[in-house]
Amino acid sequence: MKTKLLITALTCGCTVTIAQQQTANRPTVVAGFPVNYHEDSVGTYTLPELLKTQDGKPVVTAGQWTGKRRPELLRLVEENQFGKMPPRPQNLTFHVFDKDTPAFNGKAVRKQVTVYFTKDTSDHKMNLLIYLPAKAAKPVPLLLNISFAAYNQIVDDPGLRIGEIWNKEGKKVKADKPTPFGKLNVEQFLDAGFGFATVYYGDIEPDFKEGLQYGIRKTYLKPGQQEPAANEWGAITAWAWGLSRAMDYFETDRRIDSKHVALQGASRLGKTVLWAGIRDPRFKMVIASISGEGGAALSRRNYGETIRHISDPSRYLYQFAPNYHTWAEKVNEMPIDAHMLVALMAPRPLLLQTGSTDYWSDPKGEFLSAVAAAPVYRLFGKTAPSASAMMPAPDDTSLLMNDLGYYMHEGGHTVLPEDWKLFIKYMEKHL
C-alpha cells in the first residue's frame, strides 16, 4: 500500500489514529457501545421516503421538490440533527487589515479580514484569509476551506498574522507551532484561476463540551438559559453559521465572484460544509470530505461510527442539537437519514470524498447515500450515480465528475495532496 498521510484523533472524531484503523486494531468498543466492521452485520433497514411529502403525495418534478419537499426536510433536519441557527447578526462588521498585498512572488494578492460577529469587537470574531490570482481581469470564483488549524499554520506565507487556537486543555494559545496537518499548496488554486480562502473553526466555536461558554452560541442564549434548547444549534451549526458570515464578506468584495463559491471541509468539518451548503444556497458547491456519521454516511447502517457513538454525552453531543441523541437507540424510527442531507444540496454540485480504509466513517455508507439521493438530482436533469452503480474501487474516478460526485482514495481518514488536484478538476467543470 502507498504511504499515506496520517491524521490523529482531532479530525477523525475517535480515540485512535488512522494508523491503528488501517490494522486489525480498530476500536471495537467506543463510549461503551460495540462497533461493527462487517457487512453481514449491518442489519436490515428501510430508508425514509425521499420523494414523498409528509401528507403522502409523490414528488415528481423539480418544482415540487423545491417548493414543498425540500422545506419539509430542512425543518426535520434542523429539529432532529443539527438544530436551528440564527440569521445574520445586525452588528456584523468587517475589518480588512491586510488589503491586496502581493504574495507568492506576485502570483496572488492576499487579504486578511477580521469578521466581527458582535458589536463588542474584543471577542467573537473570526479571521479570514483570502488569496486571489493577481492577474485576474474580473471577479474570481474561490474555494472556502474550514480548517482545524489557524491559517498561518497551514499556509506557507511569512506575511500572515499569527492566530490563536484552542489547546487540549481548553485554553486559547498562540498558534506559533507546527501542526500534524502540514501545509496546503495554495498556488495550485491560483494556477487554475481560482481564489482560495480559509478560516479556523475554533474562531467561531471551540470544539469541546464546555466550549459553549466561550463560543458564539453563548451570545444567543435567552436570559436564564444555560444551554441551547433541544432543537437549537450545536457546534456544527455554529461553524456552518460562521461560514455564512464569510460569505457575507465575499459579497462586499468586488474582486470575488460571490455567486461561485465552493466549500470544503473534512471529518466533522465535512459535516459542517454539507450543512452550511444546505442552509445557505448562496454557496454554489460543496466538497464534503470523509464526513461519515452525521454527514453523508447512512445512519441506519450499523457500520463503524453510529449515532450512539457520536452523540453520546461523553463524546460529541455538543456538536448536534440535543434532540439527535434521542435517536441513538431507535435509529430506524428517525424521520431522516443521510441520503436526505445529500439530496438537500440538489441541484448544486456536491462531491463526497472518502477513504477506502476509513472504516470508522463508512465509505460504503456514503456511496449508498449518494445512490439513494440521486433521484432528486435527476429531477433537475443533473448527473448522479445510477441505481445499478457499483461502488468504485479505490482511486477510481468514474463517478467523480457527476454533479453528485463520489470519490474514494486508497487510504484512510484524510485529504491527500492528490485529492486536492481532483477537487480542482471538479471545480473547473462545475464551478
Side-chain angles (χ1 to χ4, degrees), residues 2-203:
K2 291 181 274 186
T3 301
K4 301 295 184 183
L5 177 65
L6 302 182
I7 291 187
T8 62
L10 179 60
T11 58
C12 69
C14 58
T15 56
V16 296
T17 65
I18 300 308
Q20 288 173 303
Q21 281 197 28
Q22 291 176 336
T23 71
N25 297 324
R26 302 173 208 154
T28 56
V29 177
V30 173
F33 302 113
V35 186
N36 172 57
Y37 299 107
H38 302 285
E39 283 295 327
D40 59 2
S41 299
V42 298
T44 58
Y45 57 87
T46 300
L47 294 178
E49 289 275 6
L50 186 59
L51 292 175
K52 185 177 288 186
T53 62
Q54 286 181 308
D55 57 8
K57 296 178 181 178
V59 177
V60 296
T61 69
Q64 290 173 323
W65 171 264
T66 303
K68 177 77 170 179
R69 186 56 173 153
R70 189 182 191 279
E72 288 180 347
L73 290 179
L74 192 60
R75 287 191 295 270
L76 285 172
V77 175
E78 283 180 335
E79 288 284 333
N80 293 284
Q81 184 166 348
F82 291 122
K84 299 177 180 179
M85 69 169 70
R88 170 179 171 150
Q90 293 182 347
N91 295 313
L92 185 73
T93 55
F94 314 110
H95 172 52
V96 185
F97 63 87
D98 180 19
K99 185 176 183 180
D100 298 343
T101 303
F104 301 125
N105 296 316
K107 182 180 292 188
V109 292
R110 182 186 68 224
K111 299 171 186 279
Q112 297 182 77
V113 183
T114 302
V115 180
Y116 294 104
F117 299 143
T118 60
K119 187 175 182 179
D120 179 3
T121 58
S122 64
D123 202 357
H124 303 301
K125 56 193 175 185
M126 171 179 77
N127 288 316
L128 175 63
L129 172 65
I130 306 166
Y131 293 100
L132 303 172
K135 296 181 180 179
K138 59 182 181 179
V140 296
L142 62 74
L143 177 76
L144 171 59
N145 158 264
I146 182 167
S147 173
F148 291 102
Y151 59 62
N152 63 283
Q153 295 176 306
I154 65 169
V155 179
D156 190 6
D157 180 351
L160 299 182
R161 170 185 283 185
I162 305 299
E164 292 182 313
I165 56 173
W166 295 94
N167 65 16
K168 294 179 180 179
E169 289 72 44
K171 304 293 183 183
K172 231 176 187 180
V173 297
K174 205 170 186 63
D176 55 358
K177 295 179 176 59
T179 75
F181 308 106
K183 301 288 186 180
L184 179 61
N185 175 12
V186 173
E187 293 186 55
Q188 61 187 322
F189 298 97
L190 304 169
D191 292 339
F194 297 110
F196 175 83
T198 186
V199 298
Y200 166 57
Y201 78 143
D203 278 356

Side-chain angles (χ1 to χ4, degrees), residues 34 274 339:
L274 181 57
H339 67 307

Side-chain angles (χ1 to χ4, degrees), residues 34 40 80 120 156 275 285 325 329 377 400:
D40 59 2
N80 293 284
D120 179 3
D156 190 6
W275 183 228
M285 170 189 292
H325 184 59
E329 301 296 335
Y377 272 80
L400 170 71

